[in-house]
Every structure is written in structure tokens, then in C-alpha cells.
């Protein structure tokens, strides 16, 4: 009889702790933002903007024009309407409290942490699409370590930047 009472009490405590844990996880918006399977699925959808992001950038350095071409040619998750993200869209997924693992360095092989939502895997600064086109062979890039943009040469010699592709309304 005592074992039954103890067993019931223990079951109730386990159930209560599960309910409390579930409520805490659901009330934390950051827990909903970062999905552990982003890399497995290959994409992440931002709950606030409904934009869908490739789970990782191009992984290799490329010119601005190559970045545009890379995203236009991307076939991921059954979609072919990917495009290079705008500066505003890149700024929208910057989160100084997020710490997503990635790479950096001259050869893109040094472990690094990037301040980006969705647990996206980044390997360097990202080219930003500008609907007005290239101005004087210079284009904006976004730095997810510092949360700011820079203007760089968009030609062949500036081939260290990456393409982070997005799909959904906006951009163009």
C-alpha cells in the first residue's frame, strides 16, 4: 500500500515538472526561434517575417555578381525562387545575443561564432542585394559579428564574401 502511494506521488511530481518545463519552453521566444534541426532540414523560417533562409551561406568566397547567380541557381527544400538577401533582411536576423557556430578566417576554416538568429551556419561577411545595382563597383556586405554593414569592392578581387540566400516577400 505504501509503495502504491509513493508511486502515485512520484508520478504526480514527474508530471508536474514536465508541465512546468513545457510552459517555460513555450514562453521563451528564443527557444522557438532557434530550431536545433535547421542544419538537418537545410532552411529556417523566421517566425516574425515569414522569410525562409538557407541554413548556411555559400561556404566559399565569391564576387557580388557570383553571389547573385548562386542564389538564383539554388534549389533547396523543393523551391527554386531563392535570392540574395537585402541589407535590411540581413539586419533583421542579426541578434547580438545569439551565438550560432560557424567558420571564418582567410580560408574559412577557423571556428567562429556569429550573432545570427535561426542557428544559421555562416562562414564570413555576407553580400547584401541592392535593387539599385552596383554603384561604382562597390557593394554592401553585412558583418554578423559586429552587426554592421561595410561597403566593399564588388569585383573579382573582393571574392572573400559569401551569399546567404532567402526566399519570400520583400527584397526586390
Amino acid at each position: 500500500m505504501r509503495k502504491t502511494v509513493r508511486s502515485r506521488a512520484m508520478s504526480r511530481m514527474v508530471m508536474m515538472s514536465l508541465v512546468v518545463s513545457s510552459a517555460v519552453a513555450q514562453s521563451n521566444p528564443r527557444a522557438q526561434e532557434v530550431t536545433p534541426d535547421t542544419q538537418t532540414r537545410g532552411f529556417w523560417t523566421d517566425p516574425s517575417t515569414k522569410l525562409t533562409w538557407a541554413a548556411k551561406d555559400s561556404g566559399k568566397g565569391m564576387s557580388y555578381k557570383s553571389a547573385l547567380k548562386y542564389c538564383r541557381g539554388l534549389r533547396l527544400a523543393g523551391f527554386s525562387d531563392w535570392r540574395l538577401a537585402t541589407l535590411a533582411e540581413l539586419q533583421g536576423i542579426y541578434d547580438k545575443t545569439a551565438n550560432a557556430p560557424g567558420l571564418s578566417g582567410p580560408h574559412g576554416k577557423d571556428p567562429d561564432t556569429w550573432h545570427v538568429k535561426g542557428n544559421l551556419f555562416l562562414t564570413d561577411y555576407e553580400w547584401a542585394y541592392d535593387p539599385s545595382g552596383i554603384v561604382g563597383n562597390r557593394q554592401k556586405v553585412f558583418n554578423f559579428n559586429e552587426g554592421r554593414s561595410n561597403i566593399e569592392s564588388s569585383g573579382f578581387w573582393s571574392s572573400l564574401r559569401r551569399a546567404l540566400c532567402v526566399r519570400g516577400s520583400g527584397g526586390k
Side-chain angles (χ1 to χ4, degrees):
M1 177 86 169
R2 282 187 167 200
K3 283 187 177 181
T4 306
V5 171
R6 267 192 227 158
S7 182
R8 285 183 190 159
M10 190 63 126
S11 294
R12 285 186 186 129
M13 285 181 15
V14 168
M15 291 297 285
M16 285 297 286
S17 67
L18 288 173
V19 168
V20 169
S21 296
S22 175
V24 168
Q26 289 176 4
S27 68
N28 181 355
R30 299 245 334 122
Q32 293 174 2
E33 275 180 14
V34 178
T35 56
D37 60 344
T38 295
Q39 295 307 313
T40 303
R41 286 183 304 160
F43 66 91
W44 171 72
T45 302
D46 186 336
S48 61
T49 64
K50 307 301 182 220
L51 292 172
T52 300
W53 294 86
K56 56 186 177 180
D57 65 19
S58 57
K60 65 178 187 170
M62 57 183 58
S63 69
Y64 176 73
K65 287 183 179 180
S66 295
L68 290 170
K69 186 176 179 179
Y70 172 84
C71 288
R72 286 186 195 132
L74 184 64
R75 303 297 178 258
L76 178 65
F79 296 100
S80 60
D81 60 343
W82 296 92
R83 59 182 172 75
L84 190 62
T86 66
L87 181 59
E89 290 167 338
L90 293 170
Q91 290 168 330
I93 60 169
Y94 170 77
D95 180 352
K96 67 181 177 179
T97 65
N99 292 303
L103 299 173
S104 67
H107 304 288
K109 295 181 181 180
D110 300 328
D112 205 343
T113 300
W114 300 95
H115 303 301
V116 61
K117 296 178 185 177
N119 204 31
L120 303 182
F121 190 88
L122 306 180
T123 58
D124 204 307
Y125 298 179
E126 307 296 332
W127 286 115
Y129 173 73
D130 184 352
S132 67
I134 299 172
V135 180
N137 202 32
R138 300 185 56 78
Q139 192 60 39
K140 291 183 180 175
V141 295
F142 191 75
N143 175 341
F144 278 97
N145 274 333
E146 298 174 10
R148 63 182 176 90
S149 63
N150 299 320
I151 297 176
E152 295 188 4
S153 170
S154 58
F156 175 79
W157 296 110
S158 183
S159 59
L160 297 176
R161 304 311 176 205
R162 310 298 196 249
L164 184 58
C165 306
V166 66
R167 64 176 301 276
S169 62
K172 296 182 182 182

